[in-house]
Amino acid sequence: MIAKFFSYFLPINVIKRKSTISNSLEVTWNNGELVLDSKNTNYSYGSLQRILKKGLKYIGYDRIRKFENVLVLGVAGGSVIKTLVDEVKFKGEITGVEIDPEIVEIANTYFKLNEIKNLELIVQDAFEFVLKTKHHYDLIIIDIFQDTTIPNFLFEDYFIQRINYLLKVNGFILFNTMVINEQNRVRNLDYKKKFGGNYSLRMYPKVEVHNELFTIKKLA
């Protein structure tokens, strides 16, 4: 493909689209790779795929392959789902929750998420889904951004308690955050303190410069 070839020298735009939820969305060929970006950050593939892939490696591909189900809160273009299916070779059930229908349309059209047979993609607010679902999960991946901003509800006690309730014993949370100022750093340290002796938590700072990953295992 010509656009893919020339993208090694200069990014080649495929589409630009406005969204009432995500504002500006753009699909671009960049360094031979099709990526989804918001106005100020990478939403899927590119650096974000590398970040979440590191998180999955921290948990362990062999361990993940034995899981029955995975919940992804914040799908965007679906790069972490592609990693689960194509690289981890995860065969269990994947539930993806994405609030923005424009993003879901882009994910299906340009990244072929609708062709993944073990994926159920739900257009819904993540907080609402977490409140209502009756399922429990082996792995919960939280990757929710509004451009470079992370919604405050992700750090609130009620949401954390609900996520912990939905997580199976010996299951994992993989939480992708961004630290770009002192307020963000303090917020993440406060988040870390919310997990007691029933959890094993690790922080991985400065992943691709500004991202900070949490892996949290439920012990009991």
Side-chain angles (χ1 to χ4, degrees):
M1 183 181 291
I2 293 174
K4 181 177 180 178
F5 173 78
F6 280 108
S7 74
Y8 286 101
F9 307 97
L10 188 71
I12 307 293
N13 179 258
V14 177
I15 62 154
K16 288 184 179 179
R17 188 171 294 179
K18 291 291 184 181
S19 163
T20 55
I21 295 172
S22 306
N23 193 11
S24 174
L25 296 168
E26 187 170 335
V27 176
T28 306
W29 281 105
N30 196 338
N31 288 319
E33 189 173 28
L34 202 60
V35 302
L36 173 63
D37 295 323
S38 65
K39 182 179 180 181
N40 296 302
T41 193
N42 176 236
Y43 260 17
S44 276
Y45 306 91
S47 63
L48 182 65
Q49 187 166 30
R50 293 193 297 271
I51 290 164
L52 291 174
K53 189 185 297 185
K54 286 179 181 178
L56 295 175
K57 286 182 177 177
Y58 294 148
I59 295 169
Y61 284 10
D62 288 341
R63 192 199 313 260
I64 294 170
R65 274 192 288 270
K66 296 173 184 175
F67 289 162
E68 294 180 351
N69 53 11
V70 174
L71 174 63
V72 180
L73 300 176
V75 172
S79 54
V80 72
I81 294 170
K82 285 292 189 76
T83 299
L84 282 167
V85 172
D86 296 340
E87 296 189 37
V88 179
K89 306 298 182 186
F90 179 70
K91 303 295 185 184
E93 298 175 358
I94 304 172
T95 302
V97 180
E98 171 58 53
I99 193 174
D100 192 340
E102 291 283 350
I103 285 183
V104 171
E105 184 182 338
I106 288 171
N108 288 336
T109 302
Y110 294 94
F111 302 102
K112 309 300 181 187
L113 280 199
N114 54 343
E115 296 181 5
I116 298 176
K117 291 185 170 62
N118 57 331
L119 169 65
E120 180 185 12
L121 195 51
I122 298 170
V123 181
Q124 191 175 7
D125 178 82
F127 188 81
E128 185 179 339
F129 176 87
V130 163
L131 289 183
K132 293 182 177 179
T133 184
K134 293 179 171 58
H135 296 284
H136 295 263
Y137 300 91
D138 294 299
L139 172 61
I140 300 175
I141 299 171
I142 306 172
D143 185 42
I144 300 176
F145 288 83
Q146 295 165 340
D147 198 25
T148 58
T149 302
I150 306 174
N152 289 330
F153 75 83
L154 297 177
F155 300 92
E156 292 173 356
D157 288 346
Y158 187 80
F159 182 80
I160 293 169
Q161 290 164 9
R162 183 65 184 168
I163 287 289
N164 293 350
Y165 170 74
L166 298 179
L167 188 67
K168 297 177 186 176
V169 174
N170 294 319
F172 280 81
I173 298 165
L174 172 58
F175 185 18
N176 179 29
T177 72
M178 189 173 285
V179 177
I180 55 178
N181 55 41
E182 179 64 14
Q183 184 180 1
N184 296 160
R185 189 187 71 81
V186 172
R187 175 204 65 198
N188 279 17
L189 289 174
D190 287 342
Y191 179 82
K192 180 181 179 182
K193 295 174 185 175
K194 295 179 185 291
F195 294 86
N198 289 337
Y199 296 88
S200 174
L201 181 148
R202 293 185 180 181
M203 294 172 64
Y204 302 90
K206 295 184 178 179
V207 182
E208 299 277 330
V209 184
H210 292 300
N211 290 77
E212 185 164 83
L213 289 174
F214 289 90
T215 60
I216 306 159
K217 182 180 181 181
K218 185 174 185 178
L219 303 175

